[in-house]
Amino acid sequence: MEKRRDEWRWPMGLSLSSTEAFHLRSALTIPQSSTHHSVCSSHSRRNNRQGKARVLQIAVSDSMMEELPSSLVVEILSRVSDSADLARCRLVSKSLNAASYDVRSVSLVCSMYHYLKSRSPETRPLVTPFKTVLKDLVRRCRNLESVSLGVDRSLGGISFDDVEDESDDLYLTDPNFMKEWLPSISHALKSLSVSDFWVQSCWRRSEALSLISTTCHSLVQLVIKNAWLSVDGLCSMPTLTNLTLEFVRLDDEDLSRINTCFPNLTQLHLIGVGGLKEPTINLLHLQTCEWSVSNAPLSLIISAPSLVDFHLKCIKPRLLVLDAPSLSTFNLSIENTDELKLKNCTNIQCLQLDLECSALGFLFKMFRHCVTVKRLTFDLVRRPQQVEVTDFGLDKILEAFPNISYLNLGPGAWIVMETSFRRGGLQDGVGMKTIKELVAHLVVHDIEFTLAFIFSILDNCKKLADVSLLIHRDVDSYVAGNLISACRGKFPRIRWRWGIWKEGIKDTWVSDGI
């Protein structure tokens, strides 16, 4: 925004006086509510909401909100992160009540606190049902572009044993419930997100996709989580470009209905989607895809000429075929496969491989033509002791990918390569001359062998200038200190970076550029 004398200009194209700008900033800095995961946090949640109400009441008493243009009031209300507070705003003043029906976005999440209160015999009569709250919020809204509803992640820990009845009060993909509010706001809706309550939704087959496709003709983004979805009655949605299905049972075993009805998808996220047998992705305009396959399908086929970024995680497909001539970034996590076919994948520059040791055989065979790879991240997901891989050294990797300048080795890959080095040393190769940056996750069993491996890498890779080593948290601090000192002393020209890693925990860097 630009300040010019006593006037403020905002990106939305509205001009404000300095007084109006002050009031707007005051309103926009109302404390935001946060997601709570336990009943213990209910007091802070109530205090936060009471604080918001007090701030709004003060603003109204001072005529702050009344002085602002109605479009700015709508802008403020559209930024309220929890739309339950939007309902409270309607009780504060007439101007807020009127403006609330012009908000562009509604987001409503059922918290654990609300869930427990709705289950307690003492408080149940005092709690407004979650579905009723949503319907009241969107009723008479004229310009809704985005709706997001769901249950808090903390409710994901509730099991069937914790539920005594067959309630559907949080069955959010219930077609009958969606029919009560979705058609009235569908004309302007561009984004819809529904995160269902798995305990209530997993055994109820929903035809929500059919309803959405027949009513939301301007929808661009669709997110559905924790549901059982039917594709019966699904119609074409040419405007939809972004689709996310997460932890969903989908009655479309080959994805043919997804391909046919969503032909213009540019972003597709399939996370833990079950019910697939021989799925095929055939989308001409797809650019980004994240696919985490929960079961073991017979085959996976991806044909996407515009695909640039692809993240694939699967178990043991018999056949994996990828035809993506524009693919630049490819992340593949796979236990094993009988056959992997890469068609026209000659432009991959960033490659990440998380493989089972027994899958190493097809690594060199299938990626031998990927000479364009510049950045490689590589790890083995199973213990190397389970498979004889003593001839799998760093020189083999650099031979398969001779043009990489960046190499990131996970702990499994490092152990295998260090073991190979102990038995056969490190042979010079073409790839040794191109690598400039190395990141490695170390498990130091014998510091002398580990140092010898590191020194051999640096002796052979003449262009290597940046080395980042993460040492396992359980390694003795004295051993780690000696390793660091030895590396610095032997190769002072290297820009060293040190860190700590442990399974299931984010890497921690303790020094940078030493």
Side-chain angles (χ1 to χ4, degrees):
M1 75 188 161
E2 301 177 355
K3 182 178 180 182
R4 188 176 301 170
R5 294 183 180 179
D6 64 338
E7 187 178 87
W8 292 76
R9 294 190 181 277
W10 294 78
M12 63 188 72
L14 295 170
S15 299
L16 304 178
S17 67
S18 57
T19 301
E20 291 174 328
F22 171 77
H23 292 166
L24 178 58
R25 291 196 303 273
S26 299
L28 288 176
T29 54
I30 295 173
Q32 297 290 313
S33 62
S34 59
T35 302
H36 297 267
H37 301 280
S38 67
V39 181
C40 296
S41 62
S42 61
H43 295 293
S44 60
R45 188 177 183 88
R46 288 199 299 272
N47 291 338
N48 193 23
R49 287 176 172 169
Q50 291 169 359
K52 290 183 181 182
R54 285 195 294 271
V55 172
L56 285 172
Q57 289 169 357
I58 293 172
V60 174
S61 63
D62 290 340
S63 299
M64 295 171 106
M65 303 299 287
E66 304 291 347
E67 294 177 3
L68 295 177
S70 59
S71 56
L72 284 178
V73 178
V74 172
E75 181 69 21
I76 295 170
L77 296 181
S78 295
R79 299 191 184 192
V80 174
S81 60
D82 185 354
S83 293
D85 296 317
L86 182 62
R88 296 178 178 89
C89 289
R90 290 176 175 176
L91 304 176
V92 175
S93 75
K94 292 182 179 180
S95 62
L96 287 178
N97 181 56
S100 68
Y101 296 103
D102 287 320
V103 295
R104 299 185 305 276
S105 175
V106 165
S107 177
L108 191 64
V109 177
C110 179
S111 65
M112 176 66 81
Y113 174 71
H114 186 280
Y115 174 80
L116 293 177
K117 285 190 67 176
S118 67
R119 262 57 184 172
S120 172
E122 293 80 11
T123 57
R124 184 185 298 118
L126 306 175
V127 177
T128 304
F130 182 78
K131 289 183 176 180
T132 301
V133 174
L134 187 279
K135 288 185 290 185
D136 289 343
L137 272 174
V138 302
R139 184 179 293 122
R140 292 193 292 155
C141 284
R142 295 177 284 268
N143 301 303
L144 271 181
E145 297 179 358
S146 174
V147 172
S148 175
L149 68 152
V151 298
D152 192 88
R153 288 185 178 181
S154 59
L155 272 70
I158 296 177
S159 65
F160 293 99
D161 296 334
D162 300 323
V163 180
E164 298 179 354
D165 54 25
E166 297 183 355
S167 301
D168 64 353
D169 59 318
L170 292 177
Y171 174 34
L172 304 181
T173 54
D174 178 4
N176 294 325
F177 162 63
M178 299 185 73
K179 287 177 183 178
E180 296 181 36
W181 58 271
L182 186 58
S184 63
I185 62 169
S186 61
H187 64 282
L189 199 62
K190 295 181 180 179
S191 175
L192 176 62
S193 176
V194 183
S195 181
D196 217 333
F197 187 33
W198 182 246
V199 174
Q200 294 186 7
S201 64
C202 67
W203 55 278
R204 291 180 166 109
R205 187 170 179 263
S206 170
E207 296 185 357
L209 286 178
S210 174
L211 175 63
I212 294 170
S213 65
T214 55
T215 57
C216 302
H217 302 298
S218 300
L219 201 65
V220 175
Q221 180 177 12
L222 176 61
V223 178
I224 300 182
K225 301 179 181 180
N226 312 320
W228 178 9
L229 297 178
S230 166
V231 292
D232 293 343
L234 180 61
C235 300
S236 178
M237 299 185 69
T239 62
L240 194 72
T241 60
N242 191 325
L243 174 65
T244 297
L245 300 178
E246 185 171 327
F247 301 117
V248 164
R249 176 180 174 182
L250 184 65
D251 291 351
D252 188 16
E253 61 184 26
D254 59 358
L255 293 181
S256 60
R257 298 293 294 162
I258 296 295
N259 292 318
T260 302
C261 296
F262 308 134
N264 295 318
L265 287 179
T266 59
Q267 296 185 48
L268 177 61
H269 305 272
L270 302 176
I271 313 300
V273 175
L276 306 179
K277 292 184 178 180
E278 296 181 282
T280 297
I281 292 178
N282 188 3
L283 296 167
L284 293 177
H285 306 287
L286 189 64
Q287 298 176 7
T288 301
C289 181
E290 181 182 6
W291 194 0
S292 178
V293 186
S294 59
N295 57 345
L298 297 176
S299 64
L300 296 173
I301 300 176
I302 301 94
S303 178
S306 301
L307 186 62
V308 175
D309 191 342
F310 186 30
H311 295 234
L312 175 62
K313 183 177 182 180
C314 54
I315 303 175
K316 295 181 179 180
R318 295 180 183 176
L319 173 64
L320 174 58
V321 179
L322 176 59
D323 186 356
S326 301
L327 188 62
S328 175
T329 300
F330 184 26
N331 290 11
L332 175 63
S333 177
I334 187 171
E335 287 189 13
N336 205 351
T337 182
D338 294 336
E339 187 175 4
L340 170 64
K341 294 182 179 180
L342 298 180
K343 296 182 178 180
N344 303 319
C345 299
T346 57
N347 294 313
I348 300 175
Q349 298 184 20
C350 299
L351 180 63
Q352 178 173 325
L353 299 173
D354 294 304
L355 305 175
E356 189 182 67
C357 288
S358 59
L360 286 174
F362 76 81
L363 171 64
F364 303 115
K365 178 181 178 182
M366 300 315 304
F367 290 98
R368 65 183 182 273
H369 297 304
C370 294
V371 295
T372 56
V373 175
K374 303 295 184 183
R375 298 175 64 88
L376 175 65
T377 299
F378 177 62
D379 197 14
L380 298 172
V381 297
R382 292 294 182 90
R383 293 186 179 277
Q385 292 85 354
Q386 297 176 350
V387 183
E388 185 65 28
V389 288
T390 54
D391 62 341
F392 186 78
L394 178 64
D395 44 358
K396 295 290 185 181
I397 280 285
L398 297 179
E399 180 183 345
F401 304 97
N403 295 315
I404 61 173
S405 59
Y406 170 89
L407 177 62
N408 188 324
L409 296 175
W414 179 268
I415 291 174
V416 168
M417 292 180 184
E418 184 178 319
T419 301
S420 176
F421 169 77
R422 291 186 187 189
R423 302 188 180 186
L426 187 64
Q427 298 180 1
D428 191 12
V430 177
M432 300 285 186
K433 299 178 175 59
T434 61
I435 184 170
K436 298 178 181 179
E437 184 177 356
L438 173 67
V439 179
H441 296 69
L442 310 185
V443 179
V444 185
H445 297 298
D446 187 323
I447 187 173
E448 297 300 327
F449 279 115
T450 300
L451 284 173
F453 185 35
I454 295 173
F455 293 167
S456 180
I457 293 174
L458 294 173
D459 285 333
N460 284 276
C461 300
K462 302 299 183 181
K463 292 186 178 181
L464 191 56
D466 293 273
V467 178
S468 302
L469 300 180
L470 295 111
I471 303 173
H472 195 276
R473 187 179 295 273
D474 294 340
V475 173
D476 183 84
S477 59
Y478 178 77
V479 174
N482 286 342
L483 186 143
I484 293 172
S485 298
C487 289
R488 288 177 180 170
K490 180 73 172 179
F491 292 93
R493 66 177 179 83
I494 296 295
R495 184 176 182 268
W496 295 97
R497 190 183 184 205
W498 305 96
I500 300 171
W501 76 273
K502 187 174 176 63
E503 298 86 347
I505 300 176
K506 186 178 180 180
D507 295 345
T508 302
W509 295 102
V510 296
S511 69
D512 192 358
I514 297 178

